[in-house]
Amino acid sequence: MAVRGAAVWPESPSLRRDVEPWTGHFPGLGRIEVWADGRHSVTAEPDPVEPAALRERALLHGWAEPLSWIRRGYHLFWGAGVIRSDEPTCLLLAGDPHDVGLTLMELSARGWRVLSDLLTPVTWDEEGLVAFPRATPVAVSSTRAARHGITGTPLRRSTDTVEVALPMHDRSARVGAIATVRPRKVGEVTLESLFGHRRFEAAAAYLASGVLWPGDTPESGPRERFASQVRLSSLPAARIGLDPGDPSADIASLVDWWSTQAASGE
Amino acid sequence: MSARTVWLASFPKSGNTWVRAILTALTTHEHLFAVNHLGSGSQPFAVSGALNVLGLDPRWVAFDEARAVRAALIRDADADVEHATDIAAPLVRKTHERYRTGPPGREPFPADATRAAILIVRDPRDIVGSYSAFFGDSLDDTIGVLAGHQSRSRCRPSHWRTEQPWGSWSAHARSWLGDDVPFPVHLIRYEDLLVDPATALVPVLAAIGMSVAPEALDAAIEQARFDRLKEAEARTGFTETSPMSREFFRYGRAGGWRHELTDDQVAAVEADHADTMLRLGYDVTHDEHALDALARERTEARTARASRWLVLPDHLGLTVREGVVPEDVPGAVRPRTWLQATDRIAAVRFAGGAAVMVEDGRDVTVQWQPDPDQPDADPSWLVQGWAVTLAALQRGNLSLHAASMEIGDEVVAIAGRRGAGKSTTAMGLRARGHRLLVDDVTLIEFDDSGSAWTTPYSRNVHLLPDSAAALGVDFASLPMLAVGRDKAAFRPEDPGAALRRIDRVVVLMPTPRATAVTLRSVRGADRIPALINHVSRDGIAPVVLGPQRYFTALAKLAAAAQIQVVERPQQGWSLDEVLDAIEAGDA
C-alpha cells in the first residue's frame, strides 16, 4: 500500500509514500517530509497549551528521523543498541520498549552506554552487522523511571512517557550478539542461549517491517526478509527473562553471558 | 468495498483463545498448526502497529493522539487487502474491551471498518476461578474485578497502548448487546461450545461470511480440542500465558465454580450480575429476594467507598450531597450555556453530564456518574474546586485562580492562565522546601482594614506529567481526574485551616517578546488589569457577585497585596529561573 493509515479520513494520521518527498500528516499534531536522501523536515501545528518545541521533537524523533534512515537504505533493528566501555562490539537488545527501557537503565548504571533507544539502524558489511548511533532520547514510562529513582522529563504535556538522561555512545559499532528481553514467566529460567532453529525463529522478529523496511515492495519482501533472517541468526543470541520488580540478578546473568560472547568472539 | 473486521469480543477468560484456535485451525494446514501461532490475536488497544504502518513511534504521542492512532490502525488493517489471501473473508480480531463509541477519528471500534462482532460469554462464576489463577488475584479481588471495581485500563503511550476498558462483566455483555451497536453482534455461550462446538459455531461463521464445509469444521474443532491445546502448552509453553500463571489452559469445563467458590462468593457474584446472568441463560442458585438485599448492600458499600471525594474540610462550612442538578434553575440568568445563576443559586454543567449547584453559599449538590471504564477516576475537582469557588462568590468573597505558598514569612499567590505553569511552579517551590497552602483556588476575603486573607484547605493537586516529574512523583501511579481530563490527582500534606494574609500575588505570564525570565512589579492603574483575568473564573465571578461587588473586591485585592508579574520567553527558560525570581521577590 503506497498510502498507509486511514488516509481517507481527515481526522486520522497518514503516510504517503507515493509522492516525493514522503509526506506524513497527523491532524492536530503536524506534518513531516522525508526525502530520498534522508533529509527531513517537520512542521508542528499550533496548540494553545503545548509548546511548539515539544511537538516538533515528537514529529522529529518519533516519526521523521526513523523514516530518514529507511530512505537511506538502512534496516532498523527492533530494539536498542548498547556498548560496554572500551569494547569493540555492541549488544542489541530486542523486545518491547518497557522491557528494553528497564534493561537500558540497569546497564547504564553498570557503566554501559546507549547507541540507540528503540529502532537501531543497522547495515551489513563483509564482516557482519554494524549498528549506528541515533541522537534520539531514551524514552521510558514514568513508572519505570520512578522505580529507578530517575525523574524523567515528559516527552509531551499529556503522556506517561519520559525522557531519561543516560550516557550515550556516538559512534557505530559492530554487533557482537543479540539478546531478547521480556518479563520472566513462572517456571522459566532467567537466561536461555539460543541455537539452531531457535535462533532462526527469534531472528524473524528482529527487524522492523512494513514502511520501516527499506525498499518495501511486494516483490522484494519475502526473499529479502528470509535472507535477513538467515544472516541475523548467525549472531549469538539469548533470551533473558526479567523480574521487573528486581531485575538485578537477571541483568547480571545477561552481563555474564555477554562477557563470554565477547571473549569467545563467536 | 465492505468492511472485513469481525471483533471476537469477550470478557477475559471466557473462551476467546479457544475460538481463535478453532478459527486458526480452519485456515491452517494441520501440520502447520501451532498453539503459539494463533491468529486474530492483535488487539486494538495495542498501537505498536503504528511503526509498521506509519513509521510512527507511539511513545511520542499524547494520550488523545494515541486514540487517533488506534482508529487509524484499525481502518488501515481493514483496508489492507494486499496481504489478504481472500478479500471477502472476515478479518477476525480479538478484544476484551467493552463496546463504546468515540469522537470522529478516535472511535475505539470504527463502524465503517467493522463487519460484525462475535460476543463470547461465560458463566461469571466460572470466570472467577480462571481469572484468579491467570492474574494471580485472590478470588474475592477477582469478584471485585468482575463487578467493575478495578480497571486495568489506562492510556499508556509509553507501552504503546490505549485504554483497554472491560467494565464489569455485566456492563461488558450489555455493551455489546445494546441497541446502539451499529453492526451485527452474534452471541456464543462458552457452555454451548463445550457441549457441541459445531452447532454453536456454524450459524455464526455463516453470518460473518465464512463458508466452512462441515468436515473442515469438525477437523478444526478436533485440532483445537482443549486437551490437545493443554498438552501443546505443556510441551512448548504458551506465549499468551501471564507472568503470574504456570498455565493458560486449565480445565476447559463448566460448573467448576461449585467446587472453587464458597457459598458467600457465589452469592456475591450472583448479586452483582443476576439480571445479566438470567438474560444470558445462566440460572442463579440463591433466592431472588436475598440476592436483591445483598446487591443493595454491596452497592451501598461501593458508594460509601467512592463517596470519599465528596468530603470537604469542616472549616469551609459547606454541606455536600450527591443529587440531581436541575437543567433549568427558575429565574436564573445564563451568561454562558453551562452557567446559571440567581442571587442565591449558582449551577455549572460539564461535559459528560456532571454538574455542580451551590445554594446560599452553603449547600452543595453534585451530580456525577462514575465512568465504568475508569472506576478509580477522581471527581473531587467538582467539589474541591468548583463548589468551593461558587460558595465563596455567593458569600461575597473572591476566588483567585492561583496556588498559594508560604515563602519565608510571606504568603504568595501564584496566578496565571491555564497552561502558564501554576501547578508546576507551586510544586517546584514545594520541592525547595516551601509550604503549599492550596492549589488552584485561593479563597480571598477582606478585613476592615482592607487586608486580603485566605483560608487554606486540603485538596488534590492536578498534575500534568511535567508537574509530576518536578515533584518526583510517578504520574502513572496517580488516579486520573474524572470526566476525561488527562491530569492526575496528587494529595499533598494538609495545610491547616488558619487564615493567612496574602502579601504578594505573582502572575505567571509567558511573553513572546521576552528574552529572559524577569520579575517586575505592577503599580498604579495597571494592577487591576493584571488581576482581572485571574479572578473572573471564566466570567462566573461578576455574574454571581454582581458587577459592583465584583469590581469593588477586585480593587480591594489590587490595593491589598503587592502585585508582580513573572515574564518568561516561549523557549529558552528554565523552571529554576522562575522559582529563583519568585523566591527573590525583589523586582
Side-chain angles (χ1 to χ4, degrees), chain A residues 212-247:
Chain A
L212 289 181
W213 184 272
D216 174 37
T217 66
E219 297 77 27
S220 69
R223 184 171 296 182
E224 285 195 6
R225 284 167 177 71
F226 182 80
S228 297
Q229 189 174 348
V230 169
R231 297 177 82 171
L232 286 167
S233 61
S234 68
L235 286 164
R239 185 167 292 149
I240 315 294
L242 301 175
D243 174 358
D246 183 13

mmCIF file of all heavy atoms in Angstrom, chain A residues 212-247:
data_model
loop_
_atom_site.group_PDB
_atom_site.id
_atom_site.type_symbol
_atom_site.label_atom_id
_atom_site.label_comp_id
_atom_site.label_asym_id
_atom_site.label_seq_id
_atom_site.Cartn_x
_atom_site.Cartn_y
_atom_site.Cartn_z
ATOM 1 N N LEU A 212 8.802 0.583 7.561
ATOM 2 C CA LEU A 212 10.149 0.699 8.115
ATOM 3 C C LEU A 212 11.090 -0.350 7.530
ATOM 4 O O LEU A 212 12.176 -0.569 8.059
ATOM 5 C CB LEU A 212 10.110 0.585 9.644
ATOM 6 C CG LEU A 212 9.505 1.788 10.361
ATOM 7 C CD1 LEU A 212 9.536 1.572 11.872
ATOM 8 C CD2 LEU A 212 10.226 3.077 10.005
ATOM 9 N N TRP A 213 10.677 -1.031 6.469
ATOM 10 C CA TRP A 213 11.581 -1.924 5.741
ATOM 11 C C TRP A 213 12.061 -1.167 4.518
ATOM 12 O O TRP A 213 11.258 -0.722 3.713
ATOM 13 C CB TRP A 213 10.852 -3.201 5.317
ATOM 14 C CG TRP A 213 11.756 -4.187 4.653
ATOM 15 C CD1 TRP A 213 12.071 -4.256 3.321
ATOM 16 C CD2 TRP A 213 12.473 -5.232 5.299
ATOM 17 N NE1 TRP A 213 12.939 -5.286 3.108
ATOM 18 C CE2 TRP A 213 13.213 -5.916 4.295
ATOM 19 C CE3 TRP A 213 12.572 -5.667 6.615
ATOM 20 C CZ2 TRP A 213 14.038 -6.998 4.578
ATOM 21 C CZ3 TRP A 213 13.393 -6.749 6.889
ATOM 22 C CH2 TRP A 213 14.123 -7.398 5.873
ATOM 23 N N PRO A 214 13.379 -1.001 4.348
ATOM 24 C CA PRO A 214 13.874 -0.213 3.219
ATOM 25 C C PRO A 214 13.484 -0.854 1.892
ATOM 26 O O PRO A 214 13.640 -2.064 1.713
ATOM 27 C CB PRO A 214 15.399 -0.219 3.401
ATOM 28 C CG PRO A 214 15.679 -1.391 4.271
ATOM 29 C CD PRO A 214 14.489 -1.561 5.141
ATOM 30 N N GLY A 215 12.927 -0.067 0.987
ATOM 31 C CA GLY A 215 12.538 -0.611 -0.297
ATOM 32 C C GLY A 215 11.375 -1.557 -0.197
ATOM 33 O O GLY A 215 11.313 -2.569 -0.897
ATOM 34 N N ASP A 216 10.424 -1.237 0.687
ATOM 35 C CA ASP A 216 9.262 -2.102 0.919
ATOM 36 C C ASP A 216 8.402 -2.169 -0.344
ATOM 37 O O ASP A 216 7.722 -1.218 -0.701
ATOM 38 C CB ASP A 216 8.437 -1.551 2.088
ATOM 39 C CG ASP A 216 7.129 -2.308 2.289
ATOM 40 O OD1 ASP A 216 7.124 -3.536 2.104
ATOM 41 O OD2 ASP A 216 6.120 -1.656 2.617
ATOM 42 N N THR A 217 8.480 -3.290 -1.046
ATOM 43 C CA THR A 217 7.621 -3.517 -2.214
ATOM 44 C C THR A 217 7.128 -4.954 -2.155
ATOM 45 O O THR A 217 7.763 -5.797 -1.521
ATOM 46 C CB THR A 217 8.391 -3.323 -3.537
ATOM 47 O OG1 THR A 217 9.393 -4.352 -3.646
ATOM 48 C CG2 THR A 217 9.042 -1.959 -3.607
ATOM 49 N N PRO A 218 6.026 -5.257 -2.805
ATOM 50 C CA PRO A 218 5.536 -6.641 -2.790
ATOM 51 C C PRO A 218 6.548 -7.624 -3.373
ATOM 52 O O PRO A 218 6.636 -8.772 -2.952
ATOM 53 C CB PRO A 218 4.269 -6.585 -3.637
ATOM 54 C CG PRO A 218 3.816 -5.164 -3.540
ATOM 55 C CD PRO A 218 5.085 -4.351 -3.454
ATOM 56 N N GLU A 219 7.350 -7.129 -4.339
ATOM 57 C CA GLU A 219 8.294 -8.050 -4.980
ATOM 58 C C GLU A 219 9.477 -8.359 -4.082
ATOM 59 O O GLU A 219 9.994 -9.471 -4.067
ATOM 60 C CB GLU A 219 8.807 -7.454 -6.303
ATOM 61 C CG GLU A 219 7.738 -7.238 -7.364
ATOM 62 C CD GLU A 219 6.896 -6.006 -7.092
ATOM 63 O OE1 GLU A 219 7.397 -5.072 -6.452
ATOM 64 O OE2 GLU A 219 5.727 -6.004 -7.527
ATOM 65 N N SER A 220 9.948 -7.339 -3.376
ATOM 66 C CA SER A 220 11.191 -7.513 -2.621
ATOM 67 C C SER A 220 10.980 -8.205 -1.297
ATOM 68 O O SER A 220 11.914 -8.727 -0.719
ATOM 69 C CB SER A 220 11.841 -6.159 -2.385
ATOM 70 O OG SER A 220 11.054 -5.403 -1.484
ATOM 71 N N GLY A 221 9.768 -8.228 -0.796
ATOM 72 C CA GLY A 221 9.560 -8.592 0.599
ATOM 73 C C GLY A 221 10.043 -9.949 1.058
ATOM 74 O O GLY A 221 11.033 -10.044 1.779
ATOM 75 N N PRO A 222 9.394 -11.032 0.673
ATOM 76 C CA PRO A 222 9.652 -12.321 1.330
ATOM 77 C C PRO A 222 11.093 -12.803 1.175
ATOM 78 O O PRO A 222 11.691 -13.279 2.133
ATOM 79 C CB PRO A 222 8.672 -13.275 0.640
ATOM 80 C CG PRO A 222 7.609 -12.400 0.088
ATOM 81 C CD PRO A 222 8.278 -11.115 -0.268
ATOM 82 N N ARG A 223 11.676 -12.678 -0.009
ATOM 83 C CA ARG A 223 13.024 -13.214 -0.216
ATOM 84 C C ARG A 223 14.040 -12.429 0.607
ATOM 85 O O ARG A 223 14.904 -13.021 1.258
ATOM 86 C CB ARG A 223 13.371 -13.146 -1.695
ATOM 87 C CG ARG A 223 14.728 -13.770 -2.025
ATOM 88 C CD ARG A 223 14.916 -13.878 -3.502
ATOM 89 N NE ARG A 223 13.937 -14.783 -4.107
ATOM 90 C CZ ARG A 223 13.903 -15.087 -5.404
ATOM 91 N NH1 ARG A 223 14.748 -14.527 -6.233
ATOM 92 N NH2 ARG A 223 12.992 -15.903 -5.870
ATOM 93 N N GLU A 224 13.908 -11.119 0.570
ATOM 94 C CA GLU A 224 14.863 -10.300 1.336
ATOM 95 C C GLU A 224 14.710 -10.537 2.825
ATOM 96 O O GLU A 224 15.689 -10.569 3.571
ATOM 97 C CB GLU A 224 14.668 -8.828 1.019
ATOM 98 C CG GLU A 224 15.212 -8.434 -0.336
ATOM 99 C CD GLU A 224 15.347 -6.923 -0.469
ATOM 100 O OE1 GLU A 224 15.131 -6.215 0.527
ATOM 101 O OE2 GLU A 224 15.672 -6.469 -1.569
ATOM 102 N N ARG A 225 13.484 -10.672 3.280
ATOM 103 C CA ARG A 225 13.261 -10.923 4.705
ATOM 104 C C ARG A 225 13.876 -12.246 5.126
ATOM 105 O O ARG A 225 14.499 -12.346 6.179
ATOM 106 C CB ARG A 225 11.773 -10.906 5.024
ATOM 107 C CG ARG A 225 11.175 -9.514 5.070
ATOM 108 C CD ARG A 225 9.652 -9.552 5.084
ATOM 109 N NE ARG A 225 9.052 -8.239 5.206
ATOM 110 C CZ ARG A 225 9.041 -7.312 4.264
ATOM 111 N NH1 ARG A 225 9.603 -7.530 3.115
ATOM 112 N NH2 ARG A 225 8.456 -6.145 4.475
ATOM 113 N N PHE A 226 13.715 -13.254 4.295
ATOM 114 C CA PHE A 226 14.281 -14.566 4.617
ATOM 115 C C PHE A 226 15.798 -14.465 4.684
ATOM 116 O O PHE A 226 16.430 -15.000 5.601
ATOM 117 C CB PHE A 226 13.844 -15.602 3.584
ATOM 118 C CG PHE A 226 14.350 -16.978 3.874
ATOM 119 C CD1 PHE A 226 13.720 -17.787 4.809
ATOM 120 C CD2 PHE A 226 15.480 -17.472 3.222
ATOM 121 C CE1 PHE A 226 14.192 -19.068 5.085
ATOM 122 C CE2 PHE A 226 15.952 -18.764 3.498
ATOM 123 C CZ PHE A 226 15.304 -19.550 4.419
ATOM 124 N N ALA A 227 16.386 -13.777 3.720
ATOM 125 C CA ALA A 227 17.842 -13.639 3.705
ATOM 126 C C ALA A 227 18.329 -12.899 4.946
ATOM 127 O O ALA A 227 19.350 -13.264 5.548
ATOM 128 C CB ALA A 227 18.290 -12.908 2.437
ATOM 129 N N SER A 228 17.606 -11.871 5.327
ATOM 130 C CA SER A 228 17.989 -11.124 6.528
ATOM 131 C C SER A 228 17.872 -11.993 7.765
ATOM 132 O O SER A 228 18.727 -11.938 8.659
ATOM 133 C CB SER A 228 17.101 -9.893 6.685
ATOM 134 O OG SER A 228 17.287 -9.014 5.601
ATOM 135 N N GLN A 229 16.825 -12.774 7.809
ATOM 136 C CA GLN A 229 16.622 -13.650 8.974
ATOM 137 C C GLN A 229 17.764 -14.650 9.074
ATOM 138 O O GLN A 229 18.266 -14.924 10.171
ATOM 139 C CB GLN A 229 15.277 -14.358 8.843
ATOM 140 C CG GLN A 229 14.850 -15.126 10.082
ATOM 141 C CD GLN A 229 13.440 -15.680 9.940
ATOM 142 O OE1 GLN A 229 12.694 -15.317 9.029
ATOM 143 N NE2 GLN A 229 13.061 -16.568 10.838
ATOM 144 N N VAL A 230 18.194 -15.183 7.950
ATOM 145 C CA VAL A 230 19.311 -16.143 7.965
ATOM 146 C C VAL A 230 20.582 -15.452 8.468
ATOM 147 O O VAL A 230 21.317 -15.997 9.298
ATOM 148 C CB VAL A 230 19.526 -16.731 6.554
ATOM 149 C CG1 VAL A 230 20.824 -17.516 6.497
ATOM 150 C CG2 VAL A 230 18.343 -17.614 6.162
ATOM 151 N N ARG A 231 20.843 -14.266 7.969
ATOM 152 C CA ARG A 231 22.074 -13.563 8.375
ATOM 153 C C ARG A 231 22.044 -13.223 9.864
ATOM 154 O O ARG A 231 23.052 -13.361 10.571
ATOM 155 C CB ARG A 231 22.254 -12.295 7.554
ATOM 156 C CG ARG A 231 22.438 -12.574 6.056
ATOM 157 C CD ARG A 231 22.549 -11.300 5.261
ATOM 158 N NE ARG A 231 23.890 -10.766 5.291
ATOM 159 C CZ ARG A 231 24.312 -9.749 4.542
ATOM 160 N NH1 ARG A 231 23.469 -9.150 3.734
ATOM 161 N NH2 ARG A 231 25.533 -9.311 4.619
ATOM 162 N N LEU A 232 20.890 -12.784 10.331
ATOM 163 C CA LEU A 232 20.798 -12.431 11.753
ATOM 164 C C LEU A 232 20.956 -13.652 12.638
ATOM 165 O O LEU A 232 21.486 -13.561 13.751
ATOM 166 C CB LEU A 232 19.447 -11.760 12.023
ATOM 167 C CG LEU A 232 19.304 -10.330 11.516
ATOM 168 C CD1 LEU A 232 17.846 -9.901 11.556
ATOM 169 C CD2 LEU A 232 20.162 -9.387 12.353
ATOM 170 N N SER A 233 20.510 -14.780 12.171
ATOM 171 C CA SER A 233 20.576 -15.982 13.017
ATOM 172 C C SER A 233 22.004 -16.519 13.133
ATOM 173 O O SER A 233 22.238 -17.472 13.871
ATOM 174 C CB SER A 233 19.636 -17.065 12.483
ATOM 175 O OG SER A 233 19.997 -17.440 11.181
ATOM 176 N N SER A 234 22.939 -15.888 12.433
ATOM 177 C CA SER A 234 24.333 -16.303 12.596
ATOM 178 C C SER A 234 24.960 -15.667 13.830
ATOM 179 O O SER A 234 26.042 -16.078 14.263
ATOM 180 C CB SER A 234 25.149 -15.913 11.357
ATOM 181 O OG SER A 234 25.265 -14.495 11.258
ATOM 182 N N LEU A 235 24.285 -14.667 14.380
ATOM 183 C CA LEU A 235 24.818 -13.972 15.546
ATOM 184 C C LEU A 235 24.452 -14.720 16.825
ATOM 185 O O LEU A 235 23.346 -15.279 16.913
ATOM 186 C CB LEU A 235 24.260 -12.558 15.627
ATOM 187 C CG LEU A 235 24.848 -11.562 14.616
ATOM 188 C CD1 LEU A 235 23.962 -10.334 14.520
ATOM 189 C CD2 LEU A 235 26.267 -11.172 15.029
ATOM 190 N N PRO A 236 25.323 -14.722 17.822
ATOM 191 C CA PRO A 236 24.958 -15.305 19.118
ATOM 192 C C PRO A 236 23.705 -14.635 19.654
ATOM 193 O O PRO A 236 23.546 -13.410 19.528
ATOM 194 C CB PRO A 236 26.163 -14.993 20.006
ATOM 195 C CG PRO A 236 27.294 -14.757 19.068
ATOM 196 C CD PRO A 236 26.690 -14.176 17.841
ATOM 197 N N ALA A 237 22.830 -15.440 20.224
ATOM 198 C CA ALA A 237 21.560 -14.898 20.700
ATOM 199 C C ALA A 237 21.160 -15.562 22.002
ATOM 200 O O ALA A 237 21.523 -16.726 22.268
ATOM 201 C CB ALA A 237 20.468 -15.091 19.646
ATOM 202 N N ALA A 238 20.421 -14.828 22.800
ATOM 203 C CA ALA A 238 19.915 -15.355 24.064
ATOM 204 C C ALA A 238 18.563 -14.725 24.358
ATOM 205 O O ALA A 238 18.226 -13.674 23.819
ATOM 206 C CB ALA A 238 20.886 -15.057 25.206
ATOM 207 N N ARG A 239 17.808 -15.403 25.180
ATOM 208 C CA ARG A 239 16.528 -14.869 25.652
ATOM 209 C C ARG A 239 16.667 -14.648 27.151
ATOM 210 O O ARG A 239 17.047 -15.575 27.892
ATOM 211 C CB ARG A 239 15.417 -15.857 25.334
ATOM 212 C CG ARG A 239 14.024 -15.356 25.667
ATOM 213 C CD ARG A 239 12.977 -16.265 25.026
ATOM 214 N NE ARG A 239 12.985 -16.156 23.579
ATOM 215 C CZ ARG A 239 12.680 -17.152 22.754
ATOM 216 N NH1 ARG A 239 12.390 -18.341 23.215
ATOM 217 N NH2 ARG A 239 12.674 -16.969 21.440
ATOM 218 N N ILE A 240 16.371 -13.437 27.594
ATOM 219 C CA ILE A 240 16.513 -13.079 29.008
ATOM 220 C C ILE A 240 15.144 -12.834 29.598
ATOM 221 O O ILE A 240 14.382 -12.004 29.086
ATOM 222 C CB ILE A 240 17.331 -11.778 29.174
ATOM 223 C CG1 ILE A 240 18.583 -11.790 28.289
ATOM 224 C CG2 ILE A 240 17.690 -11.557 30.636
ATOM 225 C CD1 ILE A 240 19.595 -12.815 28.669
ATOM 226 N N GLY A 241 14.809 -13.547 30.655
ATOM 227 C CA GLY A 241 13.577 -13.306 31.387
ATOM 228 C C GLY A 241 13.874 -12.383 32.555
ATOM 229 O O GLY A 241 14.775 -12.655 33.349
ATOM 230 N N LEU A 242 13.143 -11.290 32.647
ATOM 231 C CA LEU A 242 13.401 -10.308 33.694
ATOM 232 C C LEU A 242 12.319 -10.364 34.770
ATOM 233 O O LEU A 242 11.141 -10.534 34.457
ATOM 234 C CB LEU A 242 13.405 -8.895 33.104
ATOM 235 C CG LEU A 242 14.419 -8.583 32.007
ATOM 236 C CD1 LEU A 242 14.172 -7.172 31.466
ATOM 237 C CD2 LEU A 242 15.835 -8.688 32.546
ATOM 238 N N ASP A 243 12.759 -10.202 36.001
ATOM 239 C CA ASP A 243 11.816 -9.966 37.089
ATOM 240 C C ASP A 243 11.720 -8.453 37.213
ATOM 241 O O ASP A 243 12.644 -7.828 37.733
ATOM 242 C CB ASP A 243 12.336 -10.580 38.382
ATOM 243 C CG ASP A 243 11.446 -10.242 39.583
ATOM 244 O OD1 ASP A 243 10.450 -9.507 39.411
ATOM 245 O OD2 ASP A 243 11.754 -10.703 40.687
ATOM 246 N N PRO A 244 10.615 -7.837 36.718
ATOM 247 C CA PRO A 244 10.557 -6.374 36.714
ATOM 248 C C PRO A 244 10.705 -5.754 38.092
ATOM 249 O O PRO A 244 11.174 -4.636 38.236
ATOM 250 C CB PRO A 244 9.182 -6.066 36.113
ATOM 251 C CG PRO A 244 8.778 -7.310 35.396
ATOM 252 C CD PRO A 244 9.398 -8.443 36.169
ATOM 253 N N GLY A 245 10.323 -6.524 39.117
ATOM 254 C CA GLY A 245 10.420 -5.990 40.475
ATOM 255 C C GLY A 245 11.839 -5.912 40.977
ATOM 256 O O GLY A 245 12.202 -5.010 41.724
ATOM 257 N N ASP A 246 12.683 -6.846 40.536
ATOM 258 C CA ASP A 246 14.070 -6.869 40.983
ATOM 259 C C ASP A 246 14.917 -7.539 39.916
ATOM 260 O O ASP A 246 15.216 -8.728 40.005
ATOM 261 C CB ASP A 246 14.209 -7.612 42.307
ATOM 262 C CG ASP A 246 15.656 -7.581 42.833
ATOM 263 O OD1 ASP A 246 16.469 -6.792 42.299
ATOM 264 O OD2 ASP A 246 15.962 -8.346 43.763
ATOM 265 N N PRO A 247 15.297 -6.786 38.889
ATOM 266 C CA PRO A 247 15.999 -7.402 37.763
ATOM 267 C C PRO A 247 17.505 -7.547 37.945
ATOM 268 O O PRO A 247 18.189 -7.980 37.014
ATOM 269 C CB PRO A 247 15.701 -6.428 36.625
ATOM 270 C CG PRO A 247 15.569 -5.100 37.301
ATOM 271 C CD PRO A 247 15.014 -5.358 38.663
#
